[in-house]
Amino acid sequence: MPVLVLVSADWAAPSRPAPTLLRELSRRWGNSMQCLLVEDPEDAFLDRWAIEHLPTWLRFVTDDEDGEQSELHGLAPGGEELVLDGPWRLTHRRSGALPKHVVDAELGPEAG
């Protein structure tokens, strides 16, 4: 199952509507995609995934052969803590405030 990670921060103005968008899309997608919100990420996380702008949207798939062994942890759309183990391969990245239809088409369950 693919995972969409939103990296965001309250202090970054373009990030403010992004968590609401993630919650709406998560409800629409149901069980076809896992969603995770990483708010105010630590520098190590930003460096690991080469994040330079907030918000940044990251789409991952599990990949035993080419994936990076790591945990993805943050908040589920409902606000509860969530940790996803696995060898993760980043398949798509977009930065900036994006409209819902772009996130759905480029990063959603039917994307690449």
Side-chain angles (χ1 to χ4, degrees):
M1 174 185 312
V3 176
L4 179 59
V5 176
L6 168 60
V7 184
S8 177
D10 285 340
W11 52 263
S15 291
R16 291 187 187 131
T20 301
L21 181 84
L22 182 69
R23 283 189 292 277
E24 289 176 16
L25 287 171
S26 175
R27 282 192 297 271
R28 178 186 301 173
W29 294 332
N31 293 328
S32 62
M33 184 160 204
Q34 191 82 30
C35 295
L36 186 68
L37 173 63
V38 177
E39 290 238 297
D40 296 318
E42 296 181 10
D43 289 341
F45 183 89
L46 297 173
D47 292 342
R48 169 178 263 167
W49 301 110
I51 297 169
E52 297 179 1
H53 306 285
L54 296 178
T56 293
W57 303 81
L58 305 170
R59 186 181 194 275
F60 293 94
V61 295
T62 55
D63 187 337
D64 291 329
E65 293 184 22
D66 296 326
E68 180 179 326
Q69 193 66 36
S70 63
E71 290 181 339
L72 298 174
H73 46 89
L75 299 175
E80 61 275 1
E81 289 283 328
L82 182 62
V83 177
L84 303 172
D85 290 319
W88 299 108
R89 180 170 53 89
L90 180 64
T91 61
H92 197 74
R93 158 197 316 267
R94 283 291 300 262
S95 293
L98 301 173
K100 190 184 314 184
H101 72 277
V102 171
V103 175
D104 189 22
E106 293 186 17
L107 301 157
E110 301 299 318

